[in-house]
Amino acid sequence: MRVVSGSAKGRPLKSVPGSGTRPTTDKVKEAVFSMIGPYFEGGAVLDLFAGTGGLGIEALSRGMESAVFVDMDPKSIDTIRANLKATNLEASAQVYRNEAGRALSALEKRGRVFDLVFLDPPYRLKHGDELMLSMVEKGMLQEDAIIVLEHESSYAYPEDIPGFYRLRQAVYGETTISIYQYEANPSVESETGEEVENESAN
């Protein structure tokens, strides 16, 4: 794995030791950022099931101002810190070892608000939409914040989640990327113009 583009372009990223982490491939990562960026002029990103930290690091490399990385696995935390050091992005990041729900509560108390959120929970957990709603309740999302939800292709999240509408969905073999945008005060029901794509996993 590597940083695909931006200030840290080409820097290699370490993988988490063992087989418990499912890192987003460079191909899928590049496709995701072509849909949501590809570059940013500041803003805060939350990488909630961070694993290697690859998605949050990519966002920092492409112009996000700050990032919060959260994971439960001590090996992941060590890997994130090593990857931040390797990309010279340590000063822009905070790394926490915590369960996702508890992490959101802690970040709420700190008054953290995000422009971009990556949600890549273990496939056995089907609560990405619940976490999105929790962030709304806690006031943690900027107007028009983007949520990138990665999940197994055999499971379908709702197209409409209260407060969000789905901008785009792309399928990469066993992995699906669903991209939602937050609307704090939707005035009228809008046409999303959603596109659904199927991509080869290879």
Side-chain angles (χ1 to χ4, degrees):
M1 294 185 301
R2 62 188 176 87
V3 179
V4 177
S5 191
S7 64
K9 180 179 179 179
R11 298 286 179 91
L13 299 175
K14 292 184 177 181
S15 297
V16 180
S19 59
T21 300
R22 173 181 37 79
T24 303
T25 66
D26 286 350
K27 176 185 176 180
V28 173
K29 187 163 57 177
E30 189 165 11
V32 165
F33 282 91
S34 72
M35 290 187 275
I36 66 172
Y39 299 100
F40 310 99
E41 296 182 2
V45 57
L46 171 62
D47 197 346
L48 193 54
F49 298 87
T52 65
L55 290 170
I57 287 171
E58 188 74 32
L60 286 174
S61 179
R62 291 172 184 253
M64 279 281 168
E65 184 177 5
S66 65
V68 172
F69 298 85
V70 177
D71 205 283
M72 273 290 291
D73 183 359
K75 293 179 181 178
S76 288
I77 296 300
D78 291 342
T79 302
I80 294 164
R81 293 190 187 281
N83 285 334
L84 286 167
K85 184 175 182 179
T87 53
N88 294 319
L89 293 170
E90 292 170 291
S92 302
Q94 294 175 303
V95 184
Y96 299 105
R97 180 174 177 242
N98 211 336
E99 184 271 332
R102 289 197 294 270
L104 292 182
S105 295
L107 291 167
E108 177 192 14
K109 291 177 182 177
R110 294 181 173 92
R112 296 303 303 263
V113 181
F114 298 96
D115 303 274
L116 174 62
V117 178
F118 293 109
L119 292 177
D120 184 14
Y123 283 172
R124 69 179 184 278
L125 301 178
K126 316 292 187 187
H127 67 333
D129 49 351
E130 296 174 18
L131 292 169
M132 290 163 65
L133 293 173
S134 177
M135 283 185 274
V136 173
E137 292 171 5
K138 296 177 188 302
M140 298 179 65
L141 298 176
Q142 297 280 15
E143 174 70 24
D144 298 327
I146 297 294
I147 311 291
V148 179
L149 178 58
E150 186 170 336
H151 54 98
E152 62 181 338
S153 298
S154 60
Y155 183 78
Y157 279 97
E159 180 175 343
D160 295 312
I161 297 171
F164 300 88
Y165 63 94
R166 194 166 67 195
L167 288 174
R168 194 86 173 266
Q169 190 174 75
V171 181
Y172 302 89
E174 296 180 355
T175 297
T176 292
I177 304 292
S178 295
I179 299 174
Y180 293 87
Q181 187 162 26
Y182 173 54
E183 276 192 312
N185 298 295
S187 56
V188 294
E189 186 175 346
S190 62
E191 297 284 340
T192 65
E194 178 196 342
E195 298 179 40
V196 177
E197 299 180 355
N198 285 275
E199 300 285 352
S200 169
N202 299 316

